[in-house]
Amino acid sequence: MRAPDFWRKPNAVARLLAPLGALYGASVAFKARYAKAFDPGLPVICAGNLTAGGSGKTPIAIAIAEMLRANGHKPFFLTRGYGGSERGPALASRGHSAAVMGDEALLLARAAPTIVARDRAAGAKLAQEKGATVLVMDDGHQNFSLRKRLSLVVVDAETGFGNGFQIPAGPLREPVAQGLARADAVVLVGDGSPGLAGFRGPVLRAHLAADGSAFAGKPVFAFAGIGRPEKFAASLQEAGAMVIGSCFFADHHPYTEDDIVELRAVAGDAMLATTEKDFVRLSTQSREGIRVLKVSAVFDDPGAMERLLDSAAPRP
């Protein structure tokens, strides 16, 4: 489903649903207090968030894995495989479909070995058997089954925490202060200064850099099913593309052949463009002629992140 409009600002609907949201946040607090975390014998670095989707944590997780590899580690990603049917633990590969492994897992697998596991402890054991020296969790700040060496909360600096209410009243998975109390550092993605509820730890800044050279000066029709599709269309425009139209789907939308036929008809002679996460959800046949806007996370102060990683996962 698409995030409802009332998640953006406080309103009557959000206030009506607020008691349910409070129960949601309380359930996270209960799990945090009573869960028995498994120590996999490997450093676990978690790039999570406090909201439902759209913060930029997957590009951040990929950037972290690249840093760890450059430091001599063999990083493995560990993810739930949201949107896929695989319960795991299983090693994801490019040959798998998003319907089985989930789109985020396939995107991560292009950067480093990726384990999909609903049971994170079982996934950690498999990664260790496969030779991992460090685990990077894409999401999992509200999962307490593994002992983490470094917990990062990734925040979209522009939208912050929406209306400030918890699911279903708003986008929060738990109260901001509660989630930040377990964080070792915060990574703000983009420009903006959201309130961090008195957080006193390190606050890093990163930006998403898009390689849009292939779209400059060309008519483009954009489509996406991600947390903030409007941000994708804006990135195309910033790259110089002439965005003639757009079509946005629910986050993790499973594309059908009919969807692509309709998109091609609406786009006409314009180039069809989508995100990397959407592209992996397309069938091989549907991908023909569709261009991808590649995005990577760049830390404003990479040395600050290097120091955090070194403290959690010393170089071998």
Side-chain angles (χ1 to χ4, degrees), residues 188-261:
L188 298 177
V189 179
D191 298 319
S193 301
L196 297 179
F199 179 72
R200 297 183 181 278
V203 178
L204 286 68
R205 179 82 63 172
H207 288 83
L208 299 182
D211 181 5
S213 56
F215 304 99
K218 297 179 180 178
V220 171
F221 188 92
F223 72 96
I226 56 175
R228 286 188 60 201
E230 299 86 356
K231 192 173 183 178
F232 163 62
S235 294
L236 284 170
Q237 291 178 324
E238 290 171 4
M242 295 183 291
V243 180
I244 66 164
S246 60
C247 184
F248 300 146
F249 298 85
D251 198 7
H252 303 284
H253 176 74
Y255 292 102
T256 65
E257 300 300 324
D258 287 343
D259 288 336
I260 305 306
V261 169

Side-chain angles (χ1 to χ4, degrees), residues 17-91:
L17 294 173
L20 293 176
L23 290 175
Y24 191 100
S27 71
V28 175
F30 180 86
K31 293 175 185 177
R33 182 174 181 179
Y34 294 104
K36 294 182 179 180
F38 170 71
D39 187 347
L42 296 174
V44 177
I45 297 168
C46 178
N49 61 11
L50 303 184
T51 58
S55 65
K57 60 181 173 47
T58 296
I60 292 294
I62 291 173
I64 287 171
E66 291 173 347
M67 285 183 171
L68 290 167
R69 186 186 294 110
N71 291 344
H73 277 289
K74 186 176 181 181
F76 269 55
F77 289 116
L78 181 60
T79 181
R80 179 182 180 276
Y82 184 84
S85 59
E86 178 63 60
R87 298 191 65 84
L91 189 64

Side-chain angles (χ1 to χ4, degrees), residues 2 10 26 29 33 35 63 78 89-90 94 107 110 120 139 146 148 154 204 212 215 217 225 228 243 245 278 292 312:
R2 290 285 304 278
R33 182 174 181 179
L78 181 60
R94 294 192 179 194
L107 187 58
R110 297 182 173 204
R120 302 299 211 286
D139 209 356
L146 286 183
K148 301 160 186 170
V154 182
L204 286 68
F215 304 99
R228 286 188 60 201
V243 180
D278 287 282
V292 176

